Amino acid sequence: MEQIVRDFNSYMDEIRMYSQLMGVAYFDANTVAPNTGVAARAKRDGFFSEKVFLMTTSDKMKGYLDELAPVADKLDDITRARFKKAKKNFDKSTKIPSQLVKEFSELKSKANVIWQEARKNDDFASFAPTLEQIVAKSKEAMEHRLEPGQSIYNAMLDDYEEGMNMEIYDKFFAQVREVVVPLLKAVVGSSKKIDAGFMNSQVDKADQEKISTFAAEKIGYDTARGLITESTHPFCSGTHKTDVRITTRYDERDFISSFYSILHECGHAIYEQSTCDTIAETELSRGASMGIHESQSRFYENVIGRSRGFWDYITKELKGYLPKSFDDVTSEQFYEAVNQAGPSLIRVEADELTYSLHIMIRYEIERMLFVDNLPVSELPRVWNEKYQEYLGITPPNNALGVLQDIHWSMGAFGYFPTYALGTAYASQFVSEMKKDLDFDGLIAKGDFAAITAWMTDKIHRHGSMHSPGEILEMVCGGGLDASHYTNYLKEKFEALYQVKV
Amino acid sequence: MEQIVRDFNSYMDEIRMYSQLMGVAYFDANTVAPNTGVAARAKRDGFFSEKVFLMTTSDKMKGYLDELAPVADKLDDITRARFKKAKKNFDKSTKIPSQLVKEFSELKSKANVIWQEARKNDDFASFAPTLEQIVAKSKEAMEHRLEPGQSIYNAMLDDYEEGMNMEIYDKFFAQVREVVVPLLKAVVGSSKKIDAGFMNSQVDKADQEKISTFAAEKIGYDTARGLITESTHPFCSGTHKTDVRITTRYDERDFISSFYSILHECGHAIYEQSTCDTIAETELSRGASMGIHESQSRFYENVIGRSRGFWDYITKELKGYLPKSFDDVTSEQFYEAVNQAGPSLIRVEADELTYSLHIMIRYEIERMLFVDNLPVSELPRVWNEKYQEYLGITPPNNALGVLQDIHWSMGAFGYFPTYALGTAYASQFVSEMKKDLDFDGLIAKGDFAAITAWMTDKIHRHGSMHSPGEILEMVCGGGLDASHYTNYLKEKFEALYQVKV
């Protein structure tokens, strides 16, 4: 058995080597690589993705998993965690007939192109038949791997955040709906108007770069074990805890956009830089789940970065890098400007208050697609009705509505809801943290070390040794509870907009 | 047979995918990667190097080679070229017992550290026993793979430049010695003194970056299919003809250093960007040999870049980027400054005239080590005597003498001589080019397109379809002939230093 454990771990290490090298290639492709090399890169990436797929679904892997399954409880913690992840992935990947995988993959490639064209031309009808096929194929594929009694959409939700299902999300979004919808209405009706125009003053890129480094280091990102550079879409790329990088993009008329990208990506990066050394050489060093990862990015971006205390502290510091035009801006003005809230059409541009409503709409629609068999042709109508109902606005066209996101063209159903978990998880963690630390006081002093140390102790160091549910249980003594999140939003936006709901 | 050919090509394609991805990792490691990640990178690089070694020496590879050997002459050109390279590499890599390979590899790792310390402390004696072992192990390893009648050093020379041996190099260096040694003496004794002090005026990095792009594009490097960035040591990194990058380093008090690095690396890059599309997806798209590759870098750097015509053209253009302090500098002054020649101790800082003497000394010493069994303890004495004999100077210590290069600590014997081939091959090519083109006239006009097109037609497009010897035969109708090179040096430096030898 010792030999099997050793061989299994070596095999997993080998797969990890591929992921690491592919991570380097991803970073390269998205930062400096010339566009002309795109075809060669696509070929190479396809080759290595297939390589990893074949390794994770091989007979060799099956052999290890079969040998380890009966003794899983007796394995050391790290091997057991690796085994569980590998097994889940193996079962998921091998139950769908390879012919179906191939057909589906081709369909998705085609769908992506068709979606892009449809969005460009605001022509939902040209995308509908393909999306109909995507939905049908998704159902067909999931049927092969449902566990007894499991519904298709629940399996999808579990794919993107282990342990999640409609029961949990229904309750979660009900709480969100109950608080945020009336809160938004109150905000819209408030006589309080925030002027954020001053934020669009020119800030040279060179100064923004200095702000990036200052802010990143201040909140705890170790720039020596990474770097900050530019890319079209900001991302965090970690291949090992000794090398975790972040990117941003600079708009000289919107410095705050890069500022928050940095805080967001730093949350992801601090997480991966702070995993325990004992798992540094394994795939467990990446982060527990999409939701838990997002809890860290949203924690630094929103909970800290959009708090009043943070702006009380950072305003003076920032002015050291900002041009004269910001000299007279008060911390209060900054705080209000970065928290301006209101209805909007585009998810990726939504503010902190309304973001989860955008997600909720997508969740409800996916649920209708897979539980109620809503025809795809109905999507634009349902989409627009829900935007009207929850946000009080109707998209003027489908390009700004149902066609805006890439996810469905990729067959990524069940993915959206994880986006709503970030600040919600973070709010739960903060409730616990406040029992141990003077959270608000530390932020107002610009002293983030103890805060990050707490997060590292409770969450970061474990990497993905535990499922998101286990982490919630360990840290908060219970499961997902949206009340921390909704209380946080309520308290913040009632005060800011001088409303009461 | 068709099936074997297909399978063999697929297998080679697969190996190439690994090389490509490792190329990306190399570029990343040497440009942006944080130092902290060095251990994780070493592990990863070791893993993939071994992977490639195992693939190139596998039973599968042996099977293909055995099947293809009897029909090699009937294969299509590309498959035959791939087969020949793969076979040569297989034979080389598999004939040495794996235990010996392992021991040698460990010895070299150890030796590198000892060499670094020895150089730092100017302590040859502390390195000598290890170098003795390296020489002994090199001999032992080579014994296993000698062809009938082949000597050890000839096998080493052939490893780094196919087809080379002592007979060719002896003759080559004799020609060099005969011309360059007296020429250098005459230069040293000349009353003509060149003042290059003005070259150390401040040139801001931002301006040097503009110069890099201008110069690179001007001589034919396609910046869209690559990029120019910084690294500690300049290099060219090509993973595919659509993505060939170059690096340089900027010293604000020595702008010409980066300028020539750019021209040099552009030579390598233009070569790889100009390989034929039919071999773009194969390992044949890299370049014929180290010597032929260096012929292209030295061609753009020296033959073009240090010519009078080039400075007649480029002086005005450069002044558009240089600060006012260069306003009064004439093209003649630039030309003289970049061709200042004289004895020096350090190979990598040597000028065009003396560079090959530094190489010759190393060649002669290696020859003594492997043919005459010169004891390692004698190296400092022999080294210093040869520097005195050929360059007229004696190193004041071993750190500036026999300990300066890393190569021997890596067991890389036979490598140095390829460095002398660059400008020598280039001079031969130019002699041919002049039959077809008004070479000097085109350079003086700053019109490099026809020159590069000629090089592409004769050399670049073939990649490594042919051996260096075959290329010389195809382009020049003969083998290596140093007279073109020595004539070039003689003509240039006699005129510059107003001497006659």
Side-chain angles (χ1 to χ4, degrees), chain B residues 262-277:
Chain B
I262 290 288
L263 293 185
H264 182 98
E265 301 309 333
C266 277
H268 290 303
I270 290 168
Y271 192 172
E272 300 206 1
Q273 284 188 332
S274 308
T275 50
C276 188
D277 282 344

Side-chain angles (χ1 to χ4, degrees), chain A residues 85-104:
Chain A
K85 282 198 181 302
K87 170 123 182 68
K88 182 161 185 175
N89 181 66
F90 181 89
D91 291 344
K92 211 171 85 176
S93 305
T94 52
K95 283 186 178 159
I96 305 172
S98 57
Q99 180 59 26
L100 178 54
V101 171
K102 193 160 168 282
E103 281 170 26
F104 198 10

Side-chain angles (χ1 to χ4, degrees), chain A residues 384-421:
Chain A
N384 291 353
E385 283 172 8
K386 287 190 183 287
Y387 265 79
Q388 188 58 49
E389 183 183 353
Y390 299 140
L391 288 136
I393 50 174
T394 298
N397 58 51
N398 289 323
L400 295 171
V402 70
L403 286 172
Q404 70 183 264
D405 294 306
I406 194 175
H407 302 61
W408 292 343
S409 76
M410 299 162 63
F413 302 104
Y415 188 139
F416 280 124
T418 68
Y419 288 141
L421 296 173

Side-chain angles (χ1 to χ4, degrees), chain A residues 14 17-18 20-22 24-25 27-28 32-34 36-37 40-41 43-44 47-48 51 224-227 240 242-243 245 281, chain B residues 14 17-18 20-22 24-25 27-28 32-34 36-37 40-41 43-44 47-48 51 224-227 240 242-243 245 281:
Chain A
E14 197 171 328
M17 288 290 146
Y18 283 88
Q20 273 189 303
L21 201 55
M22 288 163 75
V24 175
F27 177 84
D28 182 88
V32 295
T36 47
R41 284 198 293 279
K43 197 168 161 182
R44 189 190 68 203
F47 173 83
F48 284 102
K51 196 99 202 161
R225 287 190 287 140
L227 57 84
H240 189 274
T242 55
D243 186 351
R245 309 167 185 191
E281 306 304 325
Chain B
E14 197 170 329
M17 287 290 146
Y18 283 87
Q20 273 189 303
L21 201 54
M22 287 164 73
V24 175
F27 176 84
D28 182 88
V32 295
T36 48
R41 285 198 293 279
K43 197 170 161 179
R44 191 191 66 205
F47 173 83
F48 283 102
K51 195 101 202 159
R225 287 190 288 139
L227 58 84
H240 189 273
T242 55
D243 187 351
R245 308 166 186 192
E281 307 304 324

Side-chain angles (χ1 to χ4, degrees), chain A residues 277-347:
Chain A
D277 282 343
T278 53
I279 53 171
E281 306 304 325
T282 76
E283 69 287 353
L284 302 173
S285 61
R286 299 306 305 274
S289 71
M290 296 186 59
I292 300 292
H293 233 310
E294 201 70 4
S295 80
Q296 297 308 298
S297 55
R298 294 295 184 181
F299 174 67
Y300 287 97
E301 178 193 357
N302 288 341
V303 183
I304 290 182
R306 286 192 163 88
S307 69
R308 188 177 298 258
F310 181 75
W311 282 98
D312 285 345
Y313 157 71
I314 205 93
T315 297
K316 185 162 164 270
E317 299 285 342
L318 267 191
K319 283 186 181 175
Y321 302 100
L322 291 171
K324 281 189 186 311
S325 57
F326 288 90
D327 278 2
D328 297 331
V329 180
T330 64
S331 61
E332 181 67 19
Q333 284 175 298
F334 273 123
Y335 172 71
E336 292 190 352
V338 304
N339 283 298
Q340 203 177 27
S344 63
L345 293 172
I346 304 296
R347 174 182 62 85

Side-chain angles (χ1 to χ4, degrees), chain B residues 383-442:
Chain B
W383 182 282
N384 291 354
E385 284 173 8
K386 287 190 182 290
Y387 265 80
Q388 188 58 50
E389 182 184 355
Y390 299 140
L391 288 135
I393 50 174
T394 298
N397 58 50
N398 289 323
L400 295 171
V402 69
L403 285 172
Q404 71 184 263
D405 294 306
I406 194 174
H407 303 62
W408 291 343
S409 77
M410 299 162 63
F413 302 104
Y415 187 139
F416 280 124
T418 67
Y419 288 142
L421 295 173
T423 313
Y425 282 157
S427 301
Q428 277 188 262
F429 297 151
V430 169
S431 293
E432 292 304 315
M433 195 189 287
K434 283 181 172 171
K435 296 176 186 167
D436 299 331
L437 300 177
D438 174 18
F439 182 67
D440 297 325
L442 288 168

Side-chain angles (χ1 to χ4, degrees), chain B residues 285-354:
Chain B
S285 61
R286 299 307 304 276
S289 71
M290 296 186 59
I292 300 292
H293 232 309
E294 202 69 6
S295 80
Q296 298 308 298
S297 54
R298 294 294 183 181
F299 174 68
Y300 287 97
E301 177 193 357
N302 288 341
V303 183
I304 291 182
R306 287 191 161 86
S307 70
R308 189 177 295 260
F310 180 74
W311 282 99
D312 286 345
Y313 157 71
I314 205 93
T315 297
K316 185 162 164 271
E317 299 284 342
L318 269 191
K319 283 186 181 174
Y321 302 99
L322 292 172
K324 279 187 187 314
S325 58
F326 288 90
D327 277 3
D328 297 332
V329 181
T330 64
S331 62
E332 181 67 18
Q333 284 175 297
F334 273 122
Y335 172 71
E336 292 190 352
V338 303
N339 284 299
Q340 202 177 25
S344 64
L345 293 172
I346 303 297
R347 175 183 60 86
V348 295
E349 294 166 7
D351 55 63
E352 190 186 5
L353 176 62
T354 55

